[in-house]
Amino acid sequence: MTYQYKSMITGLAFSVPKKKMTNADFEKIVDTTDEWITERTGMKVRYIGEEGQVTSDICTEAAQKAIAEAGISPLDIDIIILGTITGDVGFPATACFVQDKLGAENAAAFDISAACSGFLYGLTIADAFISTGMYKNILVMGGEMLSRIIDYTDRRTCVLFGDGAGAAIVQPSDGNRGIIKSIIRSDGRLAELLIRPGCGSKYPASQEMIDKKLHFLQMAGQEVFKAAVKSMGDVAVDILEQTQLTSEELALLVPHQANHRIISALAKRIKMPMEKVFINVERYGNTSAATIPIAMTEARDEGKLKRDDYCLLVSFGGGFTVGAVLLKY
Ligand code: UT7
């Protein structure tokens, strides 16, 4: 099968804060155990931002490394797209703060709110912009400081999430490699399953809103789990069918890192052997929009993702949003 490649990734990097939180740390603050967290999620460590550190700080660090790898200047960047649900401020877009910190004066900058699918939504938008010939150098990021919206007294959610950022430079394909196909989907009927109800127009800032803890992330874990397994499996099957690629031809599956059991179910559905599935959920927890670029960068640095490998990226997140991107790296 020959593919028409429009865009390719030419720089890839990530950044996490320095401060670590282990399962043992959570044993001290909520009624949980290392055994429960490890068995149910696969997680061991997450990184949490220092006081004063903001999402645009870690995004900028990741972006600087990706820009250097692509061999371009911040001034070359046409568009900055950031997938985040934990921006620096209510508005403006955190991508604008990243633009300023990078000195990317010629770019237009905006955020997208697609929760954990933010990076794949961003890659899809970048590919579409490049396909039209409108732009050439696009910075796509997924970056979160989930620690800022987590209730550290709620054991059902607090152990799951960490902070981090990943960045990719997307440029026109050299003709031999790049994004083959993207699929993005949403199902707003499931929007209430994973939500931060407060701080918007429905529940603006008030003492009552804070007392009801509406400023924290809320999740119906089991329902999200089931929806994730089904929707990630469906989108992965569809993208493989539409590109006529088989899982044997794939070198690597890089899924959203929310739970090792969800990842195993996805791998089973598309018959991917676990040795071809990249998992780092034990080292970072769930960093939402950042998990896929962090995992891709680590896979590449460990030699598990090589130039010209076929690689499938699959995500799901609040919204409910789902994404799949198939590329020849
Ligand atoms: O990026 C997208 C975001 N989210 C996800 O992908 C999350 C999807 N969901 C999940 O990963 C899983 O549903 C969880 C890891 C969140 C929970 O695992 P589960 O196997 O679905 O557990 P559960 O919610 O059914 O809870 C089982 C028990 C409950 O106790 P009871 O009612 O049976 O006595 C919970 O209260 O485990 C309890 N529990 C905990 N126990 C110790 C919940 N959290 C904890 C905890 N430590 N941290």
Side-chain angles (χ1 to χ4, degrees), residues 30-32 36-37 151-160:
V30 288
D31 180 16
T32 193
W36 191 96
I37 302 172
D151 177 359
Y152 282 98
T153 65
D154 176 12
R155 69 175 183 173
R156 292 167 306 146
T157 53
C158 71
V159 301
L160 303 173

Side-chain angles (χ1 to χ4, degrees), residues 26 30-33 36-37 40-41 43 115-117 154-161 194 217 219-226 228 256-262 286-289 291 316-318 320:
F26 283 102
V30 288
D31 180 16
T32 193
T33 58
W36 191 96
I37 302 172
R40 303 283 179 131
T41 72
M43 295 170 190
C116 307
S117 297
D154 176 12
R155 69 175 183 173
R156 292 167 306 146
T157 53
C158 71
V159 301
L160 303 173
F161 298 98
L194 180 48
L217 175 152
M219 180 170 69
Q222 276 191 12
E223 283 88 341
V224 172
F225 190 101
K226 282 182 216 147
H256 172 48
Q257 309 282 318
N259 186 314
H260 74 103
R261 292 182 290 144
I262 296 175
N286 180 350
T287 56
S288 181
T291 66
F316 73 95
F320 216 80

Side-chain angles (χ1 to χ4, degrees), residues 28-72:
K28 288 178 207 147
I29 59 171
V30 288
D31 180 16
T32 193
T33 58
D34 172 45
E35 193 190 358
W36 191 96
I37 302 172
T38 308
E39 265 179 24
R40 303 283 179 131
T41 72
M43 295 170 190
K44 290 282 189 190
V45 176
R46 330 90 192 111
Y47 293 84
I48 304 294
E50 302 283 343
E51 208 182 321
Q53 196 171 24
V54 289
T55 304
S56 64
D57 291 333
I58 51 174
C59 287
T60 302
E61 280 170 21
Q64 282 165 334
K65 290 187 245 174
I67 290 166
E69 189 182 299
I72 60 170

Side-chain angles (χ1 to χ4, degrees), residues 17 48-50 53-58 84-88 143-150 162-164 287:
I48 304 294
E50 302 283 343
Q53 196 171 24
V54 289
T55 304
S56 64
D57 291 333
I58 51 174
T84 189
I85 49 163
T86 50
D88 294 7
E144 304 283 9
M145 285 260 180
L146 290 161
S147 59
R148 304 325 195 212
I149 62 163
I150 295 300
D163 299 342
T287 56

